[in-house]
Amino acid sequence: MSAEERLRAVWKTPSGWRYWSSVNNSDVGVWYVAATFVFFVFGGVLALLMRVQLAKPGNTVLEAEQYAQVFTVHGSVMMFLFALPIFEAIAVIILPQLLGARDLPFPRLSAFGFWCFVIGGVFLCGSLFFGVAPRGGWFMYPPLTSSYQPDIGADFWLLGFSFIEVSAIAAAIELVVGVLKCRPPGMRLNLMPPYAWYVLVAAAMILFAFPPLIAGSLLLELERAFGWGFFDPRKGGDPLLWQHLFWLFGHPEVYVIFLPSVALLATMLPTVSKRPLVGYGGVVLAAVGIGFLSFGLWVHHMYTTGLPGVSLGLFSAASTAVGLPTAVQFACFVATLLAGKPQRSVPLYFTAAGIVSFVLGGLTGVMVAMAPFDFQAHDTYFIVGHLHFVLIAGAVFPIFGGLYYFFPIATGRQLSQKLGTVACALVFVGFNLTFLPMHLTGLRGMPRRVFTYAAGHGLETPNLVSTVGAFVLALGVLVILFDVLRPKKKQGWSPRNPWGAGTLEWLQAMPGEDWGVRAIPVVTSRYPLWDDPGLVARVDAGEGYLPDAEEGLRETLIVSSVDAKPLQVQRLPGSSFLPMLSAFAVGGFFVFGTYHWWGLALSSLALGAVLICKWLWSGTGAIPEKPAKLAAPGVELPLYASGSGSIGWMGLFIMLLADLTAFASIVFGYFFFWTVHDDFPPRDAVGPGVLWPVTGLALVLAAWGLTLLARRLNRAEVRAGAVVSLGLSAALAAAGAAALLYGPWVTGLKPSQHVYPAVVWVLVAWAALHLAVGVVMLGYCAVRRLTGRMTATYDGELQNTTLYWHFTALTALITVAVIAGFPLAT
Amino acid sequence: MSTPGLASIAAPLLVWAGHFVFSYAVAAVVCAKSAPVGGLRGAIALATALALALVARQGASAWSKHVRGAEPHDAPNDEGRARFVGHLVALCAALSGVAVVYSAAVFLVVRSCE
């Protein structure tokens, strides 16, 4: 067998029903994109239903209740099942190609995330067909979604989307590590394609933006299922806490949607303009700057809640400040078009339509950033117009452009230039007809989310125009769908690099091979295909890193994150049903939980945990047959890394940051109640005391110390000592968790009585749950050591477990400081 | 993860974030607990001076790395990368400085919790 044949055999996609066990990014990415488009069409049909209902005053196509379900599911589907996952979906396909990598660093995690997404999405959308869908709007404000809607609808939303958020965080870990560690040698930070910068920023934002919503959903579900009154003023709760947690997620989330789409613009613009991007530094500044500033905007959704004037001013200032980097990046884009020789193509049309329309939406954004203007426009159709302008122009247009641009990469075929042009015209005209009049409808006083309106207020014409526009827009989408789905066998394969682009994803032959790239090239410029005309031939000849698969294993290259120096050859796991099965089992917890079948839910979760352990056991941490291998002529690289140099450690570190953010959101809740209440903790309240929390903390810290000791003993080849230390650590951790839980138990704190005991219980339970996971991890390490699957040198599992314990010790410390320490201080 | 290159890019914006969170938290607590607003402006002024000094230092240090050397930003070597990162950090520092001034200006204009 030649090197090429070996490589092809190793990366071969399974056939028949086993096709669905594939974890290769080129398969998972395509499923992911296809699924998001199915949800997009579903959300679009709901939009059309709403527009039909609103076409004339007093229409009766939908009843009020149905309408509420339809707008809630429309908003939720478009946000959570289209706009966000399409970023992950596109990145899963494009990013490895763009970086000349064989795959992303955790292929099975990508597959797991995809299956979670599909299950959660089908579950939520399905609820609509049984008339039990959520109907509290996509941001689910209590008390509407708690005491006024006690039925199952809101549970679908809270549990369905918590599950999908898990998949978003999985994707974010994958993408951050992918951008930092899976670049081709030589692709230093200054040579990274803008797309990779944007993906890095957006994925990092997910890690800090999503956890507050996960925490908020947990609290709201606890209130709905068990009467813990976090948002119920009768129990000392406050509905505003939900708004804070929701928008702490919700505003950055808008930018998580927007940035990856802008990244598509920054990728397509140099190609369609036939010149390098103008102002690369400015574009990177914009990506990073927006990533940070967008976390200071959340209260601009809450201007009318009666917060102090200085607070409103602060968020108004940040909301205008974020316009600065946005303007810089769009100036760079326009300059690229002006300085280049734009070629007529569908990607160019969608790019231009996106830039023009987004700027308009951005300007109305600056208007609503001004609190006094927002007081007037809040909750009117002006906001509906504004948000669709930024989201459709800022995200959907670039995605449609990207679909035409990248289609050959995924399928080897090109879409039709004619159909694309027609579709772009229809979408652009339909979009403006639909959403431009909404600004007027809103200024004339039409509130959003009403199922009908009265005649005689000047609302009839703009509403009718919007309805007609929506159908024109839908026709445009239909043309795109037809173009995608029509048979293309006769038209032949796309030429290689059909647009004449300069970046690595176009190295791919048409049709593409499952291996991604024949050999990983060394990169010395931002547009390697333009600057090095011989590159394609050299890569085809197998010049570069990892051109072979001698050992019959999937491999990719790991490099240093700043200067992309080759560090390691990473073995990647192959096809497996385990990610899919784990997703179904974990999904069962959320599905059964929705119906409050807690026995089934917990069994399903336990099954999920077992499957995930099996997945880890069989697919990770394998000890290589030799310490190093030749990755390229004269370059020998290790086959294994543990500790902070390994991608597993890095992925776990990133996940723990997200986890800590969720915990911080609950702590924020505690101090939020302290701020808004005159006495919190209430003067007459019995807290969890000091004795048991402090005892629990002492046990946890001892367990942490023993974990560190186990790591040291293992490194020193003291096997028995390491295993005993791990066992002792697990026992102390279990005792610590029990002591933490015993504190509020023995003092008789009843979480359903008041928000104070409720928040104490949540904090304690959070810590205890993390300790329980820590115990499993310690046991896993002990078994791996005893069975010889972990050694003194190959100790990745123990290094990762130690990292987990750093975070868990910190969580316990903060928990005890808050529940036992803070009441003493007040 | 915590390589100097990536950490230095985030640093100026983290200063903005720190200033922002501090301003928000202090204002929220002072207004909620009906504490005198006079002290609030003093605290914000101090925090602003500190934040601006920090970003100015980060920006100046980064700019000096950027002007050192003659390699273009896209040169495939250490100097090109260092100059690019210097330039980027200086830009981030400038953006952070402007954003900090925006936040602080609110306390000059809005003088009460109403």
Side-chain angles (χ1 to χ4, degrees):
Chain A
M1 254 211 280
S2 69
E4 207 169 319
E5 284 164 347
R6 279 194 292 270
L7 205 55
R8 191 171 288 129
V10 164
W11 287 91
K12 192 175 174 336
T13 299
S15 52
W17 62 281
R18 289 193 173 272
Y19 170 69
W20 298 103
S21 71
S22 176
V23 297
N24 195 342
N25 74 294
S26 51
D27 298 320
V28 175
V30 171
W31 304 341
Y32 222 142
V33 171
T36 52
F37 269 96
V38 170
F39 288 124
F40 174 72
V41 171
F42 181 68
V45 170
L46 298 181
L48 292 179
L49 273 176
M50 285 189 281
R51 282 319 319 169
V52 170
Q53 166 65 17
L54 294 177
K56 59 174 191 172
N59 213 355
T60 53
V61 176
L62 294 174
E63 293 164 17
E65 280 291 297
Q66 280 175 327
Y67 188 86
Q69 292 190 11
V70 167
F71 76 67
T72 301
V73 176
H74 164 75
S76 307
V77 163
M78 288 305 199
M79 284 293 194
F80 291 95
L81 302 179
F82 171 68
L84 272 171
I86 189 100
F87 148 49
E88 294 145 13
I90 294 176
V92 165
I93 299 184
I94 299 303
L95 191 68
Q97 302 289 109
L98 190 70
L99 300 179
R102 292 226 184 279
D103 202 330
L104 286 166
F106 311 111
R108 289 188 177 178
L109 188 65
S110 289
F112 175 72
F114 165 74
W115 290 111
C116 289
F117 160 71
V118 169
I119 297 164
V122 169
F123 179 58
L124 182 99
C125 294
S127 66
L128 194 62
F129 296 104
F130 300 96
V132 290
R135 56 191 198 287
W138 85 276
F139 37 78
M140 285 276 124
Y141 281 175
L144 178 64
T145 53
S146 51
S147 41
Y148 291 94
Q149 294 178 349
D151 53 280
I152 202 168
D155 300 316
F156 274 104
W157 194 98
L158 291 168
L159 291 165
F161 283 134
S162 294
F163 189 46
I164 284 168
E165 284 144 25
V166 171
S167 91
I169 289 175
I173 294 168
E174 177 88 311
L175 297 176
V176 171
V177 179
V179 170
L180 291 179
K181 304 299 284 185
C182 297
R183 303 206 300 273
M187 191 188 271
R188 298 159 182 266
L189 284 186
N190 57 329
L191 302 184
M192 235 162 69
Y195 185 80
W197 276 106
Y198 278 107
V199 164
L200 178 64
V201 170
M205 288 174 70
I206 287 182
L207 300 170
F208 297 102
F210 280 52
L213 181 59
I214 294 180
S217 300
L218 171 73
L219 300 186
L220 187 49
E221 192 51 41
L222 284 173
E223 171 163 332
R224 291 176 49 85
F226 306 110
W228 299 19
F230 296 102
F231 310 107
D232 184 353
R234 290 166 302 182
K235 294 181 176 176
D238 193 326
L240 267 196
L241 175 63
W242 171 264
Q243 298 199 18
H244 279 291
L245 292 177
F246 184 87
W247 290 115
L248 260 168
F249 147 81
H251 203 84
E253 184 243 9
V254 174
Y255 287 87
V256 173
I257 290 170
F258 168 62
L259 289 180
S261 295
V262 177
L264 293 175
L265 295 183
T267 310
M268 294 186 286
L269 268 169
T271 305
V272 297
S273 308
K274 295 286 154 221
R275 60 149 296 134
L277 192 66
V278 173
Y280 174 89
V283 169
V284 177
L285 161 80
V288 178
I290 292 172
F292 276 86
L293 294 180
S294 63
F295 278 85
L297 311 185
W298 82 89
V299 166
H300 77 207
H301 298 268
M302 301 165 60
Y303 278 158
T304 57
T305 56
L307 292 172
V310 273
S311 301
L312 301 190
L314 208 49
F315 286 90
S316 193
S319 305
T320 36
V322 82
L324 300 174
T326 310
V328 168
Q329 89 192 336
F330 276 86
C332 292
F333 293 167
V334 173
T336 307
L337 278 172
L338 287 175
K341 297 188 190 72
Q343 286 184 318
R344 288 187 183 183
S345 62
V346 179
L348 173 70
Y349 301 151
F350 274 111
T351 300
I355 291 177
V356 170
S357 317
F358 177 80
V359 170
L360 286 176
L363 290 176
T364 54
V366 178
M367 289 165 77
V368 288
M370 302 298 144
F373 180 84
D374 183 76
F375 294 158
Q376 303 301 317
H378 185 81
D379 263 352
T380 68
Y381 260 81
F382 188 88
I383 301 297
V384 180
H386 159 71
L387 79 91
H388 284 89
F389 252 78
V390 283
L391 284 173
I392 296 184
V396 179
F397 284 3
I399 287 168
F400 285 164
L403 180 72
Y404 274 80
Y405 185 76
F406 286 120
F407 199 75
I409 291 225
T411 65
R413 317 251 180 202
Q414 274 185 299
L415 292 173
S416 153
Q417 169 85 7
K418 272 187 199 152
L419 287 174
T421 309
V422 172
C424 183
L426 285 171
V427 167
F428 182 70
V429 171
F431 158 78
N432 278 290
L433 272 180
T434 314
F435 298 107
L436 207 55
M438 285 188 186
H439 296 88
L440 185 67
T441 329
L443 289 176
R444 286 185 177 167
M446 179 156 162
R448 67 196 286 194
R449 296 177 171 172
V450 289
F451 78 107
T452 192
Y453 53 94
H457 299 282
L459 302 175
E460 295 91 328
T461 311
N463 268 306
L464 187 60
V465 173
S466 287
T467 300
V468 173
F471 279 90
V472 177
L473 174 56
L475 191 62
V477 175
L478 213 59
V479 173
I480 294 175
L481 275 180
F482 170 75
D483 198 6
V484 168
L485 297 175
R486 75 189 160 81
K488 298 180 193 65
K489 286 235 165 88
K490 280 187 195 156
Q491 74 180 49
W493 299 109
S494 157
R496 203 166 179 178
N497 193 2
W499 310 102
T503 37
L504 287 185
E505 72 274 28
W506 297 103
L507 270 176
Q508 178 181 311
M510 297 291 166
E513 297 261 11
D514 291 329
W515 62 43
V517 61
R518 172 70 187 81
I520 300 169
V522 177
V523 167
T524 53
S525 90
R526 286 179 190 159
Y527 300 93
L529 299 192
W530 286 348
D531 300 332
D532 182 358
L535 185 69
V536 177
R538 291 206 308 278
V539 169
D540 281 351
E543 261 183 61
Y545 282 75
L546 301 177
D548 198 348
E550 304 93 330
E551 300 92 357
L553 292 168
R554 294 185 178 189
E555 291 168 333
T556 198
L557 192 68
I558 302 298
V559 297
S560 64
S561 48
V562 172
D563 283 326
K565 296 204 164 75
L567 295 178
Q568 185 208 338
V569 174
Q570 176 71 40
R571 296 265 162 91
L572 296 175
S575 307
S576 164
F577 277 111
L578 280 170
M580 182 209 275
L581 296 175
S582 311
F584 273 97
V586 177
F589 170 75
F590 292 97
V591 172
F592 297 132
T594 301
Y595 296 98
H596 296 186
W597 299 336
W598 296 115
L600 268 176
L602 290 175
S603 318
S604 194
L605 187 64
L607 177 66
V610 170
L611 286 169
I612 288 172
C613 281
K614 185 167 160 48
W615 159 10
L616 291 172
W617 184 269
S618 61
T620 64
I623 296 175
E625 73 287 352
K626 56 189 172 193
K629 74 173 274 181
L630 215 55
V635 188
E636 197 175 59
L637 293 175
L639 282 163
Y640 187 97
S642 76
S644 58
S646 79
I647 53 165
W649 190 94
M650 194 171 177
L652 181 66
F653 179 80
I654 294 169
M655 193 196 86
L656 290 169
L657 280 181
D659 183 69
L660 196 65
T661 309
F663 174 67
S665 307
I666 301 175
V667 174
F668 169 82
Y670 186 101
F671 288 100
F672 174 83
F673 291 125
W674 171 73
T675 312
V676 298
H677 288 305
D678 288 333
D679 62 334
F680 189 91
R683 268 174 219 102
D684 53 348
V686 187
V690 175
L691 175 67
W692 287 106
V694 170
T695 309
L697 178 62
L699 289 165
V700 171
L701 293 178
W704 173 54
L706 279 168
T707 308
L708 293 176
L709 178 69
R711 183 178 64 171
R712 173 175 288 204
L713 290 173
N714 182 56
R715 275 267 149 125
E717 300 273 12
V718 188
R719 193 172 89 144
V723 172
V724 169
S725 198
L726 287 169
L728 269 178
S729 173
L732 289 182
L740 285 177
L741 290 168
Y742 193 63
W745 176 266
V746 75
T747 52
L749 291 190
K750 298 265 184 306
S752 54
Q753 275 178 353
H754 189 264
V755 73
Y756 172 61
V759 74
V760 168
W761 269 112
V762 166
L763 286 169
V764 165
W766 185 275
L769 188 67
H770 282 70
L771 288 165
V773 174
V775 169
V776 174
M777 289 175 80
L778 292 167
Y780 181 85
C781 287
V783 178
R784 292 287 279 194
R785 188 70 181 94
L786 287 170
T787 52
R789 284 179 173 81
M790 188 175 91
T791 66
T793 328
Y794 298 108
D795 65 342
E797 295 88 343
L798 187 48
Q799 296 282 355
N800 293 355
T801 300
T802 315
L803 174 67
Y804 178 87
W805 270 93
H806 294 328
F807 277 80
T808 304
L810 182 65
T811 301
L813 182 70
I814 296 173
T815 301
V816 172
V818 170
I819 63 165
F822 189 72
L824 297 179
T826 52
Chain B
M1 185 70 189
S2 57
T3 46
L6 290 168
S8 67
I9 296 169
L13 290 153
L14 283 172
V15 172
W16 164 80
H19 178 265
F20 185 82
V21 169
F22 176 79
S23 310
Y24 166 67
V26 170
V29 171
V30 165
C31 290
K33 303 284 176 198
S34 313
V37 185
L40 172 64
R41 298 181 71 201
I44 300 295
L46 262 178
T48 305
L50 180 68
L52 288 178
L54 274 172
V55 289
R57 214 185 120 181
Q58 289 162 340
S61 146
W63 188 255
S64 74
K65 282 180 196 134
H66 169 239
V67 292
R68 205 179 300 146
E71 289 277 5
H73 284 176
D74 60 355
N77 51 37
D78 284 351
E79 189 181 318
R81 190 259 303 149
R83 287 199 66 221
F84 167 72
V85 173
H87 185 237
L88 179 60
V89 175
L91 288 177
C92 287
L95 177 63
S96 296
V98 172
V100 166
V101 170
Y102 270 37
S103 299
V106 172
F107 293 86
L108 286 177
V109 180
V110 185
R111 290 170 179 247
S112 76
C113 288
E114 294 305 313

